Amino acid sequence: MMQKFQKFGAAMFVPVLLFSFAGIVVAFGSLFTNQAVFGSLASPGTTWNSIWDTISAGGWTVFKQEALLFVVGLPIGLANKSRGRAAMEAVITYMTYNYFVGAILTHWGASFGIPNFDKIQIVENSTNHGLTEIAGIKTLDTSIIGALVVAGIVIWLHNRYFDKKLPDWLGTFQGSTYVYILGFFLMIPLAVITCWGWPKVQLGITQLQHFIVSSGVVGIWIYNFLNRVLIPTGLHHLVYIPFQYGPAVVAGGLQPYWLRHLTQFAMSTKPLKQLAPQLGFQLYGNEKMFLAPIICLAFYVTAKKNKKKQTSALLIPAALTSFFTGITEPIDFTYLFAAPVLWIIYSLLSATMNTIMFSFGVVGNMSGGAIDTAAENWIPLWANHWQTFLTQIVIGIIFAIITFFIFKYMIVKFNYITPGREEDTEEVHLINKKEYQARKAEQAVTQTDEQTATDPYIERATAFLDLLGGSSNIKELSSCATRLRVTVADPDKMGSDAQFKAAKAINVVHHGKAIQVIVGLDVAQVLEAMQELRKQDNKQD
């Protein structure tokens, strides 16, 4: 079950990767159309305002069509084969579902508590009686929940029936068409159930929203702790995504809500916490800027003298990546399973820091690194809210210092094997150039030996494939932002963690047959190379 949750969380991350860039675009659009910053230059009707308003309109695409993105993204992560076709099947089935919902409410809306459905106009920044438009279809606003349910049904149908052989006279209905036919008829009862039950769910979500918001600092602390401590399981995606992009706190998600009101917040002199108290749930980027990089410093300080140079080469890029982009996994998995106590301490410190920041009035869309935080908070809001950000920075620095001394003390006291403290005599076998070239020759790769020998992706892909026990030992292979996610048939056929590290993996996570190889930000290229190698292996078999 845990393995399935991990796969689901990784699949949800596929569309989430787009939100960071879109958020920066919208934030800059809001900044450059802010008259408090740019004066008359940013007034409505000026060329300057029109240009940036146009750019912002493009940036809003991701947020306004986020349900479609999750419908497309889930099959990419979870379909067993022909993922592009699975994504197409999911999109058309999801649109069919929404057309059914719209038609049912048009004819019988009063019976489901939504009279005059066809007369309700969808208005920007309004609850719209729980309605919305998706790809031009007026329907119930099921947000990403409806998208995930429909996508999940289509993925199940695709994995089970995509390859089903139909009689020759029905051959034209095989494959994607057959999956869509089945999905078409399943969407009818699902649409009826939605029309009956979703308005009640919306009421429940509204009540839950009030409870979460009114829970104050306790709710903030629990949310931040879970969002950090669950990273090893991959379940943290299920914690923050409904808050950031779904309806858990506000309709449409906290990040779109913040960006939509950014100009209003920038021009107001009221405290940010008074303007947007819900945004206390979006502070978990602070540990990425203040704590993760300082943990790298603690690792360097406690590393063996003969390994400091090697350790710094590993940690400096990881620290900069965490600080600027908010991607912490290259740091997290360098010590997580060698010293799990440190991970718990880190999670406790992160939650406490963010909660104290919230208590002192710090709120905002601070879920990423310094680039996102500056673009969506500091730059557009500094003029009227610099005191809030100064408070954030001071508290962040204080907790960075506390974290450094706690980690340094714990590492030395208990001799944790953090980066730079490994045994000097550890034997590691890495595929050498001759072995690598021999394998490439067997697989009949069209590239020359000179090209393949210098290709970092193929080189690592080959090494990881061998260390995972070969193609025949791999049952499932996918990735998230920085990790290969693998299900193996026999874990005993795998190489050691030291061998993976020698092959330039950051670390390896073991959950029975579910394996995570921490690769880094170029994991997508390594995954693609591994998939090609597996195809060639299958052809030879």
Side-chain angles (χ1 to χ4, degrees):
M1 181 61 68
M2 178 63 69
Q3 179 183 333
K4 292 180 179 179
F5 273 117
Q6 289 173 338
K7 283 188 64 180
F8 180 72
M12 288 184 72
F13 201 70
V14 173
V16 168
L17 293 172
L18 301 175
F19 284 89
S20 179
F21 169 74
I24 292 173
V25 171
V26 172
F28 275 113
S30 178
L31 169 65
F32 291 127
T33 56
N34 189 336
Q35 296 181 59
V37 178
F38 288 91
S40 60
L41 179 65
S43 298
T46 63
T47 302
W48 175 270
N49 181 283
S50 298
I51 290 172
W52 284 106
D53 183 67
T54 300
I55 293 173
S56 294
W60 277 107
T61 304
V62 170
F63 300 106
K64 291 184 177 180
Q65 303 299 333
E66 63 181 27
L68 282 174
L69 287 177
F70 281 99
V71 166
V72 173
L74 214 61
I76 292 174
L78 295 177
N80 292 338
K81 60 181 67 176
S82 301
R83 294 178 176 180
R85 290 179 176 271
M88 177 191 70
E89 296 156 10
V91 170
I92 191 62
T93 303
Y94 180 63
M95 293 177 70
T96 301
Y97 159 77
N98 282 296
Y99 273 120
F100 280 146
V101 170
I104 291 170
L105 293 179
T106 297
H107 297 295
W108 302 286
S111 300
F112 295 104
I114 307 178
N116 301 317
F117 168 82
D118 56 336
K119 295 180 180 179
I120 297 174
Q121 298 296 317
I122 304 299
V123 180
E124 193 81 17
N125 300 327
S126 171
T127 58
N128 294 308
H129 303 279
L131 306 179
T132 188
E133 280 191 357
I134 297 175
I137 309 166
K138 187 162 71 172
T139 181
L140 278 170
D141 187 4
T142 58
S143 187
I144 62 171
I145 296 176
L148 295 178
V149 169
V150 174
I153 292 172
V154 174
I155 291 165
W156 181 81
L157 292 172
H158 178 88
N159 289 340
R160 188 176 180 89
Y161 297 109
F162 180 77
D163 290 332
K164 183 175 179 60
K165 182 74 171 74
L166 298 179
D168 290 343
W169 60 280
L170 292 175
T172 188
F173 297 115
Q174 288 183 169
S176 291
T177 304
Y178 187 52
V179 173
Y180 175 59
I181 291 171
L182 296 174
F184 180 95
F185 289 105
L186 283 176
M187 291 305 105
I188 296 174
L190 180 62
V192 173
I193 292 171
T194 301
C195 292
W196 169 79
W198 192 252
K200 298 178 177 62
V201 173
Q202 288 175 325
L203 178 62
I205 289 174
T206 300
Q207 294 172 342
L208 180 61
Q209 170 188 339
H210 293 158
F211 171 77
I212 292 174
V213 173
S214 64
S215 64
V217 293
V218 174
I220 298 293
W221 191 93
I222 293 173
Y223 172 83
N224 279 279
F225 177 73
L226 292 176
N227 198 26
R228 178 54 45 185
V229 79
L230 289 177
I231 281 181
T233 67
L235 299 179
H236 62 299
H237 299 311
L238 306 182
V239 174
Y240 78 84
I241 286 178
F243 280 75
Q244 190 166 349
Y245 308 116
V249 180
V250 296
L254 288 170
Q255 182 169 349
Y257 175 86
W258 173 261
L259 296 173
R260 193 177 296 116
H261 295 85
L262 192 57
T263 300
Q264 173 189 335
F265 296 155
M267 299 182 70
S268 175
T269 57
K270 293 181 180 179
L272 281 177
K273 189 176 179 180
Q274 181 179 336
L275 293 170
Q278 310 95 324
L279 268 296
F281 292 103
Q282 288 292 95
L283 300 180
Y284 57 88
N286 283 291
E287 61 258 32
K288 304 172 184 180
M289 294 185 290
F290 295 109
L291 303 192
I294 211 70
I295 288 172
C296 290
L297 179 61
F299 290 158
Y300 175 79
V301 169
T302 56
K304 296 179 179 179
K305 290 184 178 179
N306 63 325
K307 290 193 173 185
K308 283 189 180 293
K309 184 176 181 180
Q310 178 183 356
T311 304
S312 64
L314 170 70
L315 295 177
I316 289 175
L320 292 175
T321 297
S322 175
F323 180 78
F324 285 110
T325 71
I327 300 294
T328 62
E329 290 180 351
I331 300 172
D332 298 339
F333 289 97
T334 58
Y335 73 95
L336 174 57
F337 293 94
V341 174
L342 292 180
W343 180 257
I344 300 298
I345 292 173
Y346 172 41
S347 301
L348 291 169
L349 287 168
S350 298
T352 304
M353 177 184 68
N354 293 334
T355 303
I356 290 176
M357 285 184 179
F358 175 74
S359 299
F360 278 85
V362 179
V363 297
N365 192 41
M366 304 172 185
S367 60
I371 295 175
D372 286 356
T373 301
E376 300 179 19
N377 301 269
W378 297 339
I379 295 175
L381 299 174
W382 187 267
N384 287 329
H385 302 286
W386 61 270
Q387 301 95 332
T388 299
F389 302 131
L390 184 60
T391 301
Q392 173 197 7
I393 293 170
V394 170
I395 294 174
I397 292 174
I398 292 172
F399 268 84
I401 295 171
I402 293 171
T403 301
F404 172 79
F405 283 107
I406 290 177
F407 266 63
K408 181 175 180 293
Y409 172 80
M410 295 286 289
I411 291 168
V412 174
K413 174 71 174 179
F414 299 102
N415 193 29
Y416 291 132
I417 308 302
T418 51
R421 296 175 63 84
E422 303 89 351
E423 291 294 333
D424 296 331
T425 57
E426 186 177 37
E427 281 190 36
V428 176
H429 172 72
L430 180 63
I431 297 174
N432 59 38
K433 184 176 180 180
K434 289 184 179 180
E435 292 173 324
Y436 171 70
Q437 291 177 333
R439 179 171 175 83
K440 299 309 294 176
E442 292 174 359
Q443 294 171 333
V445 177
T446 57
Q447 300 154 303
T448 64
D449 286 344
E450 180 179 356
Q451 289 173 321
T452 56
T454 58
D455 189 321
Y457 303 128
I458 297 179
E459 197 166 33
R460 278 186 290 165
T462 304
F464 294 156
L465 201 59
D466 283 345
L467 292 171
L468 288 166
S471 295
S472 60
N473 196 43
I474 296 176
K475 297 176 65 178
E476 295 180 350
L477 177 64
S478 61
S479 72
C480 64
T482 59
R483 291 174 270 180
L484 290 171
R485 294 177 179 267
V486 190
T487 302
V488 297
D490 185 0
D492 293 333
K493 292 182 179 180
M494 292 177 53
S496 67
D497 289 2
Q499 289 175 309
F500 276 98
K501 290 180 182 179
K504 300 181 181 179
I506 296 171
N507 213 330
V508 184
V509 183
H510 301 267
H511 290 295
K513 295 182 179 181
I515 310 298
Q516 299 175 23
V517 182
I518 318 305
V519 176
L521 294 176
D522 57 355
V523 65
Q525 289 84 354
V526 175
L527 173 65
E528 184 176 358
M530 291 181 70
Q531 290 171 334
E532 288 300 318
L533 292 173
R534 292 189 71 199
K535 287 180 182 178
Q536 293 163 11
D537 285 345
N538 292 335
K539 288 180 181 178
Q540 289 184 348
D541 293 341

